[in-house]
Amino acid sequence: MRALTVVPEQPGSLRVDTVPDPRPGPGELLVRGLALGVCGTDKEIARGEYGWAPPGRERLVLGHESFGQVLEPVGDFAEGDLVVGVVRRPDPVPCGACAAGEFDMCRNGRYTERGIKEIDGYGSELWTVEADYAVRLDPRLRDVGMLLEPTTVVAKAWEQIQRVGERAWFEPKRVLVTGAGPIGLLGALLGVQQGLDVHVLDRVTDGPKPRLAQALGATYHHEPVEKVLGALEPDIVLEATGVGSLVFDAMAGTGSYGIVCLTGVSPTGRSLTVDAGTVNRELVLENDVVIGSVNANLRHYRAAADALGRADLGWLAGLVTRRVPLDKAADAFEATGDDVKVVLDLAGER
Ligand code: BGC
């Protein structure tokens, strides 16, 4: 079968390889890959800036935004079921969080991640997954199932916001989502589903992003962030760009008891001058909280599947702005101005 592989830490090593078909072990499903979402993390790995190969191996099969169809079922699964594989696996110790099933909160950093850290990913025509780490999707989601994983990331972020908010009286009304990429827009979707007044900020003034935000019933902004924050004083900022300066603007610009949830991974090595006293003063005097949120556990996969099930299918399909066949995989890693989510087609004709 064909698989998209890379040598971590080696820029330019991405290629489509022919590798042996995987054989499911006990308790594992054999899955035909249908599609794979490509995200910023995949691009970082392809640029040689992130990622770890499986121990003793040079190449890693890339891909963690999975979607496929069961060929050989086990347990409760049936042939033909649409499934997504979970990204992270608990550390081997395991730490307390991993032992409790909250591997997204791993404390010792020895977790592994499919397609990212030490285990092959889902970017192949066939893949296997432990039935315990597979999530079944409603057949209605056949064209958009690869959006589940990014949705799990925002399902976790929203859960964290809710839990932090509940430390005192909490009735949030308004959220500003910074960044109208897939994470931002899916975060906005979940905000709208909760009945919040959702605002989305991005730099672009036309193309699919403003349209997609407005189609959700959210308000789209492209003015400077300080101006938008000043006018809105949001209860919550869901940050999905990873742009350092924006993170600090968000921390200073929420309303009282504000929560800023950071989901974007920034490039390192860029410095920024910040008035730390003002940031500290703001956080203390307003009981503000800043939380970082990464990855997702099974609870978030279920919440995300539920959220996608309630979303408008046409809107979800609109997030997928480009589909690239596996043999042209490199094209999916080149940004074009109007991309929201680029998807690799794993099941197309050769
Ligand atoms: C993935 C997460 C993963 C993180 C860090 C993200 O792109 O969605 O599942 O934990 O990268 O490796």
Side-chain angles (χ1 to χ4, degrees), residues 320-344:
V320 180
T321 45
R322 205 149 53 96
R323 289 181 188 260
V324 176
L326 179 59
D327 51 12
K328 300 248 165 41
D331 293 355
F333 288 74
E334 302 293 329
T336 66
D338 269 355
D339 280 336
V340 180
K341 174 55 72 185
V342 179
V343 163
L344 278 182

Side-chain angles (χ1 to χ4, degrees), residues 135-286:
V135 178
R136 195 182 352 242
L137 278 193
D138 188 322
R140 280 180 69 241
L141 298 171
R142 175 152 196 121
D143 291 332
V144 291
M146 74 309 260
L147 296 177
L148 185 74
E149 196 276 342
T151 309
T152 68
V153 167
V154 291
K156 172 179 172 180
W158 273 113
E159 179 200 72
Q160 296 299 304
I161 291 167
Q162 187 63 30
R163 289 184 176 193
V164 167
E166 281 170 2
R167 75 201 193 281
W169 175 82
F170 189 50
E171 275 182 18
K173 302 237 159 0
R174 190 175 286 163
V175 55
L176 176 66
V177 178
T178 50
I183 294 290
L185 288 167
L186 289 166
L189 166 72
L190 269 61
V192 169
Q193 287 183 342
Q194 292 167 61
L196 293 169
D197 174 21
V198 179
H199 295 255
V200 177
L201 171 73
D202 199 294
R203 283 181 305 199
V204 298
T205 50
D206 53 16
K209 291 178 177 180
R211 270 203 312 277
L212 285 160
Q214 282 152 3
L216 274 181
T219 310
Y220 185 82
H221 303 263
H222 56 80
E223 306 90 337
V225 62
E226 321 80 70
K227 195 168 159 220
V228 175
L229 283 163
L232 296 176
E233 294 202 346
D235 303 296
I236 299 162
V237 175
L238 181 60
E239 207 301 301
T241 67
V243 174
S245 58
L246 219 144
V247 167
F248 283 94
D249 285 332
M251 281 160 63
T254 56
S256 245
Y257 199 72
I259 300 177
V260 176
C261 183
L262 308 177
T263 64
V265 183
S266 325
T268 53
R270 290 182 197 166
S271 28
L272 180 77
T273 304
V274 177
D275 179 349
T278 301
V279 175
N280 177 71
R281 197 182 162 90
E282 184 86 19
L283 293 180
V284 170
L285 292 180
E286 296 198 336

Side-chain angles (χ1 to χ4, degrees), residues 19-51:
V19 300
D21 288 0
R23 297 169 61 91
E28 289 186 344
L29 308 166
L30 178 66
V31 178
R32 183 169 71 105
L34 293 176
L36 179 80
V38 175
C39 81
T41 301
D42 301 308
K43 290 183 180 172
E44 262 194 290
I45 299 173
R47 288 197 303 266
E49 295 166 9
Y50 194 62

Side-chain angles (χ1 to χ4, degrees), residues 8 45 51-57 59-61 89-92 109-121:
I45 299 173
W52 297 260
R57 291 238 318 265
R59 303 194 77 85
L60 167 78
V61 175
R89 297 293 177 278
D91 76 74
R110 291 177 60 193
Y111 61 82
T112 52
E113 288 181 340
R114 292 208 50 174
I116 302 174
K117 188 169 183 272
E118 296 167 14
I119 354 178
D120 278 337

